[in-house]
Amino acid sequence: MFGLGLEVIYSLLRILPPLVMNLMIDFVSSNEPVWRGFFYAAIMFVSAIISSICMNHLIYFVISAALKIKSALITAIYRKSLKMSSSARRNYTVGELVNLMAVDAEKIFNLSMYLTLTIGAPLRIFFTIVLLWQYLGPACLAGVVVILVVFPLTGIFASKMRKVQEQQMEKKDSRLKFMNEILSGIKVLKLYAWELPFINQVTGIRNEEINLLRTYAFNNAGVAFIWGCAPFMIAITSFVTFLLIDENNILDATTAFVSLTLFNMLRFSLIILPDMISNIVQTRVSVHRLNNFFVCEELNPSCVGTETDEGEVISVNKGTCSWETHGEAVLKNINLHIKTGQLVAIVGQVGSGKSSILSSLLGEMYKLSGTLNIKGTTAYVSQQAWIQNMTLKQNILFCQPLNEKKYKKVIDKCCLKPDLMILPGGDEVEIGEKGVNLSGGQKQRVNLARAVYQDTDIYLLDDPLSAVDSHVARSLFHHVIGHNGLLQKKTRILVTHNLSVLPDVDAIIVIKNGQIEESGTYKELLAKKGSFSELVREHMRKEDSESTEEESTITNSCELDTKLLQESTEEEVEMRVRNRKRHKIEASLKKTISRELTREDKIGVHDEGLLVEEEKMELGKVKSSVYLHYLQNATYPLVFLTILGYAGFQACEVGANMWLSKWSTDEPLPDGSQDIPLRNKRLIVYAVLGISEALSILFGTIILAIGTVQASQELHKRMLQCVIRTPMTFFDTTPLGRILNRFGKDVDVVDSQLPMNFDGVLDTTLAVIGTAVVISISNPIFIAAAIPVFFIYYLIQKIFISASRQMKRLESVTRSPIYNNFSETISGASSIRAYGVQKYFIERCDERIDVNQNCYFLGMCINRWLAARLDFLGCCIVFIASLLAATGRGTVSPGVVGLSLSYALNVTEVFSWLVRMSAELETKIVSIERIDEYSQLSPEAPWDIESTKPHKLWPSKGLVKFVNYSTRYREGLDMVLKNINLEVTQSEKVGIVGRTGAGKSSLTLALFRIIEPADGTILIDNIDITVIGLHDLRSKLTIIPQDPVLFTGTLRINIDPNNEFSDEDVWQALEHSHLKEFVSTLQEGLSHHVAEGGENLSVGQKQLVCLARALLRKTKVLVLDEATAAVDLDTDCLIQNTIRKEFSQCTIITIAHRINTIMDYDRVIVMDEGVIKENGNPTELLSNPESLFYSMAKDANLID
C-alpha cells in the first residue's frame, strides 16, 4: 500500500510541469510581474525533486520485493529437486533444472519489477488524456482511438512471441542438457575422437534456437514499430481533428507545446509497455515451465514404513516395485526379513535387480503392492561413488562434527591412510568436481568412509568392493563390513559380485529377473545345488584358471577344476574358498592400496591441496575490445545501418517538433480563422516527417535484430569450439557449473537482453543529442549554463559505472557456486535422502543464494544512488531552462519557449535513461567478456593435418614404440613419465602394473596424446604420433575405459555417433558383446532411448556398450583400463573370452589394477615413479622372488 501511495503521488506530480509550462508560455507573452516567472521555475524544480524522491523509493521497495520472490523461487526449485520421484527426474536433465534457476526464475524476477513499476502507467495515461481534453477538447479522443487500435495489434504480436518463446526455451533446455552431458563425458569424446559429431549436434540445436530467436526479434521489432509510431499518430490525429472540427481552432504555442509535452509524457508511459508485454510473454512461458516442474511427481514418504516385527529392522512382504507409477514391475513379490545386526549379501547377474532392492528400501521406487518397512537410520553407499567438490575430510565428515579419534579410526579401517600420505595436503586436499583427482578405488573408499563415520543403524552397500583391488576389498570386508569390522553391530545389506566374501555373511539372497530365486546361508545354498552353487563353482574355476596360467593353459585348468569340483563335497568347496582368502593384509595395504593414479599422476598439483582454480574476474573498465568484438560479430555494415535508422528517427522527430514550433507562431487571418492553405502545408510536412520517423525506427530495429542475432550465433559457435578443443587439464580444474554458467546465463543475456540494451542506449544517446541541439538553438546561452551540469553528469556516470560493473561481476561469480552445488546435489540426491540430511543441504543452498543476492541488492542500491543524483541534475536543467525563459521575456517567441521547455522537461528522463542504459549495457557486456574469455582458451594440437595424414589403413600391424619419452601434465610440474623406452610388437598382449602414482595411466594418456611429450616421442607402425592430427591418431586406437560413459540419445548413436557403420555391423558388435539378447527384447531396438548418463541401464550393461564400441571400431591397438570391475563373474568371463577371441590379432595394452587379469599375457611392464622398473614375461618375473612383480603377486595372494 505504501508503494501504491508513492506511485499515486508520483503520477500526480508528473502532470504538474505541463500546467506550469502553460503559465510560463502565457507569462512570456504577457506583462505579469517578473517574480512570477521565477516562481513558476521554482515550482517546476520542487515538483520534479519530490517526484524523483517518490519514484526512487518506489523502485527500491519494488526491487527488494522482487529479489525476495527470486530467492524464494530458486530455493523452492532446490527443495523440489530433493523430492522428485525417479520417473519425474528422468524428464529433467541437470542442464534443464539449472535452466529453471538461471533463466526462468530470472524472468519472473524481471516481470515482478516491470509489473509493479507499470502499475502507475494506466493512471498517468488517464491523467494525461484528461489534461489533453482541457487543451484539445474532444479532439484528444482521436488519440485515445489510436491507443485502442494499438493494443490489439500488440496483442497479435504478443501471441506469436509467446509461442516462439516456448519453443525457444525448449531448445535452450535441450542445448544445455546436451552440453552438460558433453562436458561430463569430455574425456570419452576426446579418447574416441567424437568431438565433431557432438559439436554438430549442439550446433544443430543452437541453429534451431537462433531461428526462433530471429523470429522473436522480428516480432519484437514490430511491437517497437507500433509503439514508436503511437505517440506521433496520437499527436497528428489529435491536431488534425482539433483543426478540422472548427475553423476557429488555432494551434498556438500554448496548445501545441503543452499538448506536445503531454504527448511526450504519454510516450514515456506507453514506451515501457512493449518491454512489459515482452516480459509478460517470456514470463508466461517460464511460469508454465516452473508450474510443470513444481507439480511433477514426488517421492512418496509413506511408501516405506517403520513398523517391523520384533527383532527385525527390515521387513518386506510381497513387495512389488517399479520405477514408474504405472510401469512394468522391476521387483516382483519380494519377501525379505532382516534382523538387527545381520550381514546379508545380495548376488545376481547384471540387470537382475540387486541395486533396485536397495532403492526400494530407500523409498526411491514406486510400491505397486505389498509392504516395505525399515526401522532406524540409514547410510547408503552407491555403486558409483558420489563425491563433493570440497576437501577429503569434509567429504567424510559430511554433516557430522569432527571426532578426531573416530575419524582417524575410520580413515585407517577404510584403507585411506596410505592415500593421505601421498595426496598433497593430506585430508585437506581439495577433491575436484565428481572426484576428478581421485582414482575409482579412492572415490569408493571415501564413499564408504563417509557412511561409516555417520554411525547409522542400517547400512545399504551397493557393490562398494568392485571398484577396489581384490586384496583391498578383502581388507575392507574384514575391517569394516564383516563380523569383526567397524560395522559388526550394525545391520548391513551388501550387494556384491565378490563371491569370496560370501562364506562370512549371515544370509545370501540370489536375485534373478527381479525376483528372489534363492535365499539362505552359504552352506544351505551350496547344498541346494541350484544357481548359487553353480555361480560359486564358476567363480572357483575362474580363479584357479587365472592363478595357474603360468603352469598350464586356461582350458586345461578349467577342465581339471571342473573334474575336481564335480568330485568335491560342499564342505570341501567352502574350505577351498576360505583358503584363498588367507593373505597378509597389512603388508599388501601398504604396497598396493590403490587401483589408479593419485593427483600427481592424473592431473598434477599447482598448489598445496588446491585443485579447482578460482573463477577469474576482470577488474576495472570493460575493455573497448570487448565492445568491438561484439560489433565485429554483428558485422560493421549492419551496425552502421542500425545507427543510420535510429539517427533518422531522431532527426525526423526533432524536425517535426521544430516544424510544430514554427506552426504555432503562424498568425490567424484577420477574421480569426485559419489560413487553410498554410495549415494544409504544415499538416502535410508534419505528416511526412512523422511517417519518415516511423519507417526509420522500423528499419533500425529490424537491422538491429539481424545484427544481434548474428552476433549471438557467432559468439556461441566460437566458444563451443574453443571449449571442446581445450586440453583435459582445463576440465580437471574447472567446475562443470562454471562452464555451464557461460553457456546458460551468459548466452541468455547475449540472446535476449543485450539487444534491448543496445536499443535503449542508441535511442537515448541520440535523444540527448537532439535535446541539446533544440535547446541550444532556442537559447544559445543555455550551452554555457549546461556545460557544468553535463560535466557533473559525466563524473557521476564514471563513478557509478565503475562500482556497478564490479558488482555485476561479483554477482556473476557468486552465481556459479549456486549452480555447482545444485548440479552436485542432483547427482547425489538419493544419497542425501538416504542419510536424511536434506535440511543441511537446503541451508547450504540458501547461504549461497544469500551471498549472490547480497551482491545483486548492493548493485540495486548503487542504481538508486545514481538515480537520485541524475534526477537532481535533470531538475537543475529544467530550472535553468525556466530561468532563461523568464529572463528572456520579450526577446524570445512563445513558440521557442514552449519548444525549449518541452525538451527540458523531457531531458530529465532522457539523461537518466541514457546513464542507466549505458551502465546496464556495461554490466551486461560483462557476459560478452566472460564468453570471450572462454573463446580464447589455449587449444590442444590440431585435429587433422593434411600434410602428415597417415594411410587410411594405418596402423596395419599395431607396433607401438616409446622412444626416450618423458612428459608432465603442465609446465612447471614434475615429470610423470621419465625417459621411457618400450617396444610392443605386433599382436602382443602387454599388461602394465604399478603402485599408486607409478605412471600407468599416464602411459595410456600419452598414447592418446591427452598429454603431450616434454621429450622424446611415440611411434606406431613407425609413424611419429606427435606430427599427425589428434583425430587421425585417436580414431585409429580403441580404449575401453574404467568408467562407462553414455549420452542421451539412441543406443545406436551411443555406439556409433559418426554413423560410419551399418546396422548389421552394430548388431554383430552387440552380439559379440553379449548385448544382442537384451537389445532384441527392447521395443525400439537400436533406437532405444538412453537416458542421461545411461541411467536406464545398469553399470554392467553400460560397460558392455563400451565393449560394443570397441568391437565395432576393432583397431589394431586396444587399450583396456580395468573394464570389468562393475560386472558379475559370468559377464566378466564372457568379456575376457570375447577380447581374447575378437582381438586376437590386435596389440592389447592393459592397465592392470588386478594382477590376476594379466597372468596369461605375453609381457608385463612394472612401473614405479614414472619409469619402467621391470619388463618381461609374467612367468619369468614370478620366478624371481626379488622382483617387484613377485611381491605384488604375493600381496594379491596369487602365490604362497
Side-chain angles (χ1 to χ4, degrees), residues 168-241:
Q168 186 195 340
M169 291 302 291
E170 287 176 6
K171 295 301 177 186
K172 192 186 296 289
D173 281 347
S174 299
R175 176 172 57 81
L176 279 180
K177 160 189 165 184
F178 207 63
M179 276 307 305
N180 179 62
E181 291 194 67
I182 286 175
L183 296 172
S184 298
I186 189 67
K187 187 175 182 180
V188 169
L189 295 189
K190 288 184 178 294
L191 290 171
Y192 283 102
W194 282 353
E195 295 100 330
L196 279 176
F198 281 83
I199 285 176
N200 291 338
Q201 285 191 59
V202 175
T203 304
I205 298 170
R206 177 63 177 169
N207 288 340
E208 292 177 16
E209 187 183 351
I210 286 293
N211 288 335
L212 292 167
L213 193 67
R214 189 177 288 112
T215 304
Y216 185 90
F218 287 158
N219 279 285
N220 204 31
V223 172
F225 169 68
I226 290 171
W227 288 105
C229 293
F232 165 75
M233 291 301 297
I234 293 168
I236 195 166
T237 52
S238 299
F239 287 156
V240 169
T241 306

Side-chain angles (χ1 to χ4, degrees), residues 423-547:
L423 290 169
D427 60 2
E428 293 297 334
V429 64
E430 183 187 6
I431 308 302
E433 197 169 20
K434 297 182 180 179
V436 67
N437 52 321
L438 295 181
S439 71
Q442 288 170 330
K443 285 190 280 189
Q444 195 58 275
R445 279 181 273 126
V446 170
N447 203 24
L448 181 62
R450 177 201 296 138
V452 175
Y453 190 83
Q454 304 312 300
D455 195 24
T456 59
D457 302 322
I458 302 163
Y459 285 81
L460 305 178
L461 312 171
D462 193 356
D463 205 11
L465 304 179
S466 67
V468 296
D469 294 333
S470 56
H471 58 280
V472 178
R474 287 192 287 270
S475 174
L476 291 174
F477 185 82
H478 179 74
H479 289 120
V480 179
I481 302 169
H483 289 302
N484 297 317
L486 288 177
L487 305 179
Q488 57 184 294
K489 295 180 181 179
K490 309 292 184 180
T491 305
R492 294 138 291 162
I493 299 181
L494 172 67
V495 171
T496 185
H497 293 130
N498 191 340
L499 303 188
S500 64
V501 304
L502 297 183
D504 292 328
V505 304
D506 298 320
I508 300 168
I509 296 168
V510 182
I511 299 292
K512 187 174 184 180
N513 298 327
Q515 295 179 306
I516 296 179
E517 188 177 46
E518 290 182 305
S519 64
T521 64
Y522 186 78
K523 288 184 178 181
E524 289 170 353
L525 293 181
L526 280 180
K528 286 182 181 180
K529 294 192 176 182
S531 58
F532 176 75
S533 177
E534 180 58 33
L535 199 65
V536 172
R537 293 174 190 277
E538 178 62 34
H539 169 64
M540 290 169 54
R541 185 182 299 116
K542 185 172 183 293
E543 275 204 348
D544 282 351
S545 67
E546 289 170 342
S547 62

Side-chain angles (χ1 to χ4, degrees), residues 430 606 610-617 733 738 813:
E430 183 187 6
H606 58 275
L610 181 64
L611 170 69
V612 177
E613 297 174 351
E614 288 293 324
E615 185 166 10
K616 183 182 177 183
M617 186 179 74
T733 57
R738 189 182 298 172
V813 169

Side-chain angles (χ1 to χ4, degrees), residues 121-122 125 129 143-159 223 226-227 230 234 266 269-274 276-277:
I125 291 170
I129 291 172
V144 175
V145 171
V146 173
I147 293 173
L148 294 176
V149 171
V150 164
F151 272 105
L153 285 174
T154 307
I156 294 170
F157 279 103
S159 178
V223 172
I226 290 171
W227 288 105
I234 293 168
L266 192 62
S269 296
L270 291 174
I271 207 167
I272 61 174
L273 291 179
M276 187 187 75
I277 291 167

Side-chain angles (χ1 to χ4, degrees), residues 51-72:
S51 172
S52 169
I53 292 171
C54 290
M55 177 48 71
N56 282 312
H57 277 80
L58 173 64
I59 293 174
Y60 174 84
F61 290 124
V62 165
I63 295 181
S64 297
L67 274 175
K68 291 176 182 176
I69 292 171
K70 180 182 175 183
S71 300

